[in-house]
Structures are given as C-alpha cells and as structure tokens.
Amino acid sequence: MKRSSIIEARRAKVSPEIRRRVDLSFLIVDRIHAVLEQRGLRQKDLATMLDKKESEISKWMRGTHNFTIETISQIEKALGEPILQVVGV
C-alpha cells in the first residue's frame, strides 16, 4: 500500500507514548476481531451480548477507543476468551 507523504509527516510528529497507546488499542481490537471471527460472530452480536448499541461497538473497533479494564473484562466474559494477557514480573 502506498503511504501518503503528508500522513507520514504527521505520523512522525506523534510522540512515542501516544503511538504506543494507539498501537496497543489496535492490538486489542485485532484480538476482539479474531475471536469474533473464530466464533462466527459480528460486531452486532457483541453489541447484543454486552447490551450496547452497535454504533458504540463500531467506535470501539476503529482502534482509537481507550478501553478500560472493566470493558475488557466484560468483553472477555461475553466472548468466553481472553483478550489481554498480562506478564507477571
């Protein structure tokens, strides 16, 4: 895929901390998407499971949502699959 020089110039100005947060958010979304796909589910199904509007789940799945531990826990419970793995020290 060809990258826009304008976008790349703006991306270069993003702080490493913000970039890391966005990258983690996309990893979470990728994991949720993978579990949904494995189970033959759609975002609409997840919305129903969580008693949320489909539009809210759609916003989450764009990768810019700041997931809370509570939200991740609810998603894990609804899907019956871990979303995050925490490495102990």
Side-chain angles (χ1 to χ4, degrees):
M1 174 195 291
K2 183 180 176 184
R3 294 188 175 210
S4 163
S5 60
I6 295 170
I7 292 173
E8 287 304 309
R10 295 192 86 187
R11 190 171 195 268
K13 293 179 182 181
V14 174
S15 74
E17 295 83 17
I18 292 173
R19 187 172 296 167
R20 176 72 176 141
R21 276 186 252 147
V22 171
D23 288 346
L24 286 172
S25 184
F26 276 110
L27 289 171
I28 292 168
V29 168
D30 288 346
R31 174 66 181 143
I32 294 168
H33 179 73
V35 173
L36 289 173
E37 193 171 87
Q38 288 170 2
R39 296 183 176 269
L41 300 171
R42 299 169 297 158
Q43 289 181 28
K44 182 177 184 175
D45 300 316
L46 181 59
T48 300
M49 294 164 138
L50 297 173
D51 196 28
K52 302 280 185 190
K53 292 182 179 180
E54 188 177 356
S55 61
E56 184 174 358
I57 303 301
S58 179
K59 288 177 187 177
W60 292 0
M61 299 302 282
R62 287 188 196 127
T64 56
H65 180 73
N66 186 15
F67 288 96
T68 64
I69 296 299
E70 181 179 347
T71 300
I72 292 170
S73 179
Q74 290 171 350
I75 294 168
E76 288 179 333
K77 182 178 178 186
L79 295 177
E81 292 277 343
I83 300 302
L84 293 179
Q85 289 185 326
V86 178
V87 179
V89 285

